[in-house]
Amino acid sequence: KAGVTQTPRYLIKTRGQQVTLSCSPISGHRSVSWYQQTPGQGLQFLFEYFSETQRNKGNFPGRFSGRQFSNSRSEMNVSTLELGDSALYLCASSHRGATYEQYFGPGTRLTVT
Amino acid sequence: QKEVEQDPGPLSVPEGAIVSLNCTYSNSAFQYFMWYRQYSRKGPELLMYTYSSGNKEDGRFTAQVDKSSKYISLFIRDSQPSDSATYLCAMNPNDYKLSFGAGTTVTVRA
């Protein structure tokens, strides 16, 4: 069974721009979570989607948004990029939202200049 | 104070040694306790999870949870250079998200 895939793997953007990252969960998984990983803050929860509904959101500004499609694929969007948004963005999927069995993708490395 | 505290290390051990990793936490509502391994420039890989207190063994890995002390541990026996990675503990404050420790960087010297 294929794992979680994320595209693109690397991205360089300029301050003020916006970016969209994509995540395809493991086949059959309906829950998708997004995390931001930085050296200073570690892994921080962004939001979680299940059956196209956002069930929980972390403490991030409204510039961070996401959505999930009927095929469980998910996208996250960051508008008006800031230098501090440079991070590894990780997507994780699970079968029914069981946090104890989340499987992560390789991440998208976003650099904001 | 963070919900989950984990010593970032780094930790360096000779091949064959036992690696001991631990995390402490403050939220008594945590029910599931996970350990992830993350290699450089990769996503975290789930090693194992434990529900409530107790021990769980999987090959060379043993996870322990002591809810009374709010303390969890991961032991790696017969460590190999391929075990060199960052190890992250994680816990669930609710059904939808995980709270992670900072991660401990481990190097196993050949």
Side-chain angles (χ1 to χ4, degrees), chain B residues 3-73:
Chain B
E3 272 191 316
V4 182
E5 297 283 356
Q6 183 177 9
D7 187 339
L11 190 62
S12 179
V13 301
E15 184 176 357
I18 295 176
V19 176
S20 175
L21 305 165
N22 58 76
C23 292
T24 58
Y25 62 95
S26 56
N27 189 341
S28 57
F30 288 151
Q31 295 179 319
Y32 285 92
F33 304 88
M34 282 66 68
W35 286 97
Y36 283 84
R37 176 176 63 194
Q38 186 173 23
Y39 292 113
S40 180
R41 299 197 174 277
K42 302 283 188 181
E45 171 194 7
L46 178 63
L47 287 174
M48 57 200 307
Y49 68 86
T50 309
Y51 176 72
S52 193
S53 285
N55 296 356
K56 187 173 185 178
E57 188 173 316
D58 184 359
R60 297 185 296 111
F61 298 88
T62 299
Q64 292 183 349
V65 174
D66 181 350
K67 291 195 76 176
S68 63
S69 301
K70 297 190 177 65
Y71 187 90
I72 71 169
S73 302

Side-chain angles (χ1 to χ4, degrees), chain A residues 6 26 32 44 71 87 89 97:
Chain A
Q6 292 186 245
I26 292 171
V32 173
Q44 292 185 288
N71 62 358
Y89 289 89

Side-chain angles (χ1 to χ4, degrees), chain A residues 69-89:
Chain A
F69 302 95
S70 58
N71 62 358
S72 295
R73 191 177 67 87
S74 178
E75 289 181 347
M76 67 163 283
N77 183 277
V78 187
S79 62
T80 319
L81 284 165
E82 300 177 0
L83 294 179
D85 297 333
S86 295
L88 181 66
Y89 289 89

